[in-house]
Amino acid sequence: MVTLLGISGSLRKGSLNTALLKAATEIKAEGYALEASGIHGIPLYDGDLEEAEGIPAAVTTLKEKIIAADGVILFTPEYNNGIPGAFKNAIDWLSRPSSDMAKVFGNKPFALVGASPGNFGTLLSQNAWLSVLHTLGCQVFAEKRLMVSRAHTLFDAEGNLTDEATAKRLGDLLAAFARFAGHR
């Protein structure tokens, strides 16, 4: 069984990316399991805080989940045509101390998914993540990326994905990524 970890990079209660991650966990699939996680509780990175108090518990917990997973999917919003600050901050904390970077990220398969109310569906955010993931030594899944545009029209009031075409694309990506992550 391939274990995948999905991380929503949004802190917002009504996040489209958290809703998309929830939809991903509800897809019935064989051969893999997907756990949902987020970045809540991770403070702004501060080297003085790290030196005085060490790595925060929320960072350690997420780091352990990444290490245990066969592959990680970033469910990334796009803010001002780029990576959301809170999500990048979480990744920066996860790379600390630098001696842990290879253990957490080295050769780990990562995939990119994103939902946006705009017309381009997180294209620029996902592209910006590529250099970050490369720097961390990740294996970036290049076969598929999922960019869901006008996502606010694809979920009901409770945050359930109602668009069958998007659900199929999401399921196809998950299955392909699970095969990729399982063969490393």
Side-chain angles (χ1 to χ4, degrees), residues 13-89:
K13 181 179 177 183
S15 163
L16 295 168
N17 285 281
T18 301
L20 191 61
L21 175 54
K22 176 183 168 276
T25 65
E26 294 170 351
I27 292 174
K28 304 297 181 218
E30 294 182 23
Y32 73 86
L34 174 64
E35 177 185 359
S37 194
I39 59 170
H40 287 87
I42 297 178
L44 290 175
Y45 179 75
D46 178 345
D48 293 336
L49 175 67
E50 179 184 8
E51 185 177 328
E53 299 178 22
I55 304 298
V59 174
T60 299
T61 298
L62 187 54
K63 189 183 286 195
E64 290 168 354
K65 289 179 181 184
I66 291 171
I67 291 168
D70 294 313
V72 178
I73 305 168
L74 301 182
F75 285 75
T76 185
E78 181 172 296
Y79 298 160
N80 298 316
N81 293 334
I83 298 171
F87 206 2
K88 176 64 168 63
N89 175 73

Side-chain angles (χ1 to χ4, degrees), residues 119-139:
N119 290 328
F120 300 106
T122 71
L123 173 66
L124 297 174
S125 176
Q126 289 190 35
N127 286 343
W129 274 114
L130 296 175
S131 63
V132 173
L133 296 175
H134 174 75
T135 298
L136 294 171
C138 303
Q139 269 189 3

